[in-house]
Amino acid sequence: MKLFRVFALGSAVLAFALAILGSWVRINEAGMTCPDWPLCRGALVPQLVGGVVLEWSHRAIALSVGFVIIGAFITGWRLRRSIAGVSGALIALVAIFVAQVAVGGWTIKVANSPASVAVHWATAMALLSTLTVLSLLALVAPPYRPQHRVPARSRSAVWLLSLAAAFGFVTMCIGSYVSSSHFGLACSTVPACDGTLLGRDPGQLAQMLHRLAALSFFIVGAFATWMTTRSGARRAAALALIALVLVVLQIALGIGNVVLHMPTLLREAHAANAVISFLAYVIGAFFAVLDPVGRRVSDSEVAVRAASPVMASSK
């Protein structure tokens, strides 16, 4: 169990670092400093100068993630009959990781086209969210309870928090397209786009779709948070509140980028906070499922409960 936890947590941390570094590579336009794949400039370790440092480091961490994921799969598969949900998470993990590697190579083949960058970011977020769930399963180790059913209120919280995470996912993917297309300042005003609702050209349209997606993310997230606080799932409600605060911060960072003409550090903060906001809703949905299950019942409690009907009948 300890080894599984180490591999699961390690892979999630590395995947998060990989996503942040990937956004840094994109923001600094270093994605094509290694124009070939899987080698970089025809070498396993090229001359590390300029943007090559960023892109090669990104690939090196991706390789490390692969090895750690293998460790997480092997150790987790051995525990599949003792931890609920591990089998499904591991199977999804393998499928998404293979897709992520393939998409990473494809982005180089098509010279980091905006569409390929958006797909690459989508698979990266799918991988990170899966690893996050796997880490939570490793830490909490929920037992199998075939008789358990999630109460109706908790079910609604699960669906709404998952929906909020989905809106965050879509918003990030549109944002990666906008960023890689250099449309970040296509609209110079906020909240409208130079006096129009959807802009006058493809760049402005992409920017406004990103803003509308962000607004939808906030609305859905706020409703999901409100409903979760009513469900009685305390940990899920706490995560939902944190996520909503992060979404508000995300919108403020987006406005700041437009007003301040997109300074590099603020752009990176915007990308990193988007990832954290998305993960907060993913984790909240996880606990919304788990909270009704409750904690493990100790052996002494089982004995007391078993004896209580006998005691009651003897009175």
Side-chain angles (χ1 to χ4, degrees):
M1 176 64 79
K2 288 183 179 180
L3 198 56
F4 173 48
R5 286 174 177 169
V6 169
F7 277 119
L9 286 171
S11 59
V13 170
L14 283 174
F16 178 79
L18 184 65
I20 300 305
L21 181 57
S23 67
W24 188 250
V25 169
R26 181 181 72 244
I27 289 169
N28 286 275
E29 299 184 8
M32 290 307 297
T33 53
C34 291
D36 48 345
W37 186 88
L39 299 178
C40 179
R41 297 179 178 246
L44 184 62
V45 182
Q47 186 177 3
L48 299 177
V49 293
V52 177
V53 176
L54 293 175
E55 175 61 14
W56 185 84
S57 299
H58 181 64
R59 295 188 184 185
I61 294 177
L63 182 62
S64 301
V65 171
F67 284 114
V68 180
I69 283 176
I70 292 173
F73 181 85
I74 293 173
T75 55
W77 192 253
R78 293 173 180 172
L79 299 168
R80 66 188 183 279
R81 290 184 178 146
S82 59
I83 302 177
V86 163
S87 297
L90 289 173
I91 292 170
L93 175 62
V94 172
I96 295 170
F97 180 70
V98 171
Q100 173 71 344
V101 172
V103 170
W106 172 59
T107 58
I108 300 299
K109 300 292 185 183
V110 297
N112 275 347
S113 67
S116 70
V117 171
V119 174
H120 189 48
W121 185 257
T123 54
M125 291 301 100
L127 179 66
L128 179 55
S129 59
T130 303
L131 287 171
T132 300
V133 170
L134 189 66
S135 298
L136 292 170
L137 289 171
L139 290 172
V140 178
Y144 281 103
R145 293 179 185 268
Q147 76 282 5
H148 168 70
R149 288 188 178 182
V150 180
R153 281 190 175 185
S154 293
R155 283 201 301 271
S156 66
V158 172
W159 282 108
L160 285 170
L161 291 173
S162 299
L163 183 63
F167 269 81
F169 179 85
V170 171
T171 303
M172 286 191 296
C173 291
I174 298 175
S176 66
Y177 179 85
V178 169
S179 176
S180 58
S181 300
H182 306 287
F183 292 154
L185 290 175
C187 299
S188 59
T189 60
V190 178
C193 181
D194 300 332
T196 66
L197 180 60
L198 295 177
R200 299 184 178 88
D201 55 53
Q204 290 186 334
L205 175 61
Q207 173 62 239
M208 290 308 295
L209 288 177
H210 179 56
R211 294 185 188 183
L212 290 173
L215 178 61
S216 301
F217 182 27
F218 169 75
I219 293 172
V220 173
F223 183 66
T225 300
W226 177 64
M227 291 297 293
T228 304
T229 57
R230 292 166 52 87
S231 71
R234 295 182 180 180
R235 290 179 294 183
L239 263 299
L241 286 169
I242 292 172
L244 185 59
V245 171
L246 290 171
V247 173
V248 173
L249 175 61
Q250 183 69 1
I251 294 174
L253 289 170
I255 295 173
N257 270 300
V258 174
V259 172
L260 299 176
H261 301 286
M262 301 185 68
T264 301
L265 290 178
L266 196 60
R267 290 178 69 188
E268 178 58 26
H270 188 55
N273 190 70
V275 176
I276 298 171
S277 303
F278 164 67
L279 289 180
Y281 279 113
V282 170
I283 298 171
F286 174 87
F287 281 116
V289 173
L290 194 66
D291 276 347
V293 175
R295 59 186 177 86
R296 291 178 182 270
V297 180
S298 66
D299 293 339
S300 60
E301 288 176 310
V302 171
V304 169
R305 292 180 185 181
S308 58
V310 177
M311 294 173 63
S313 61
S314 64
K315 290 183 179 181

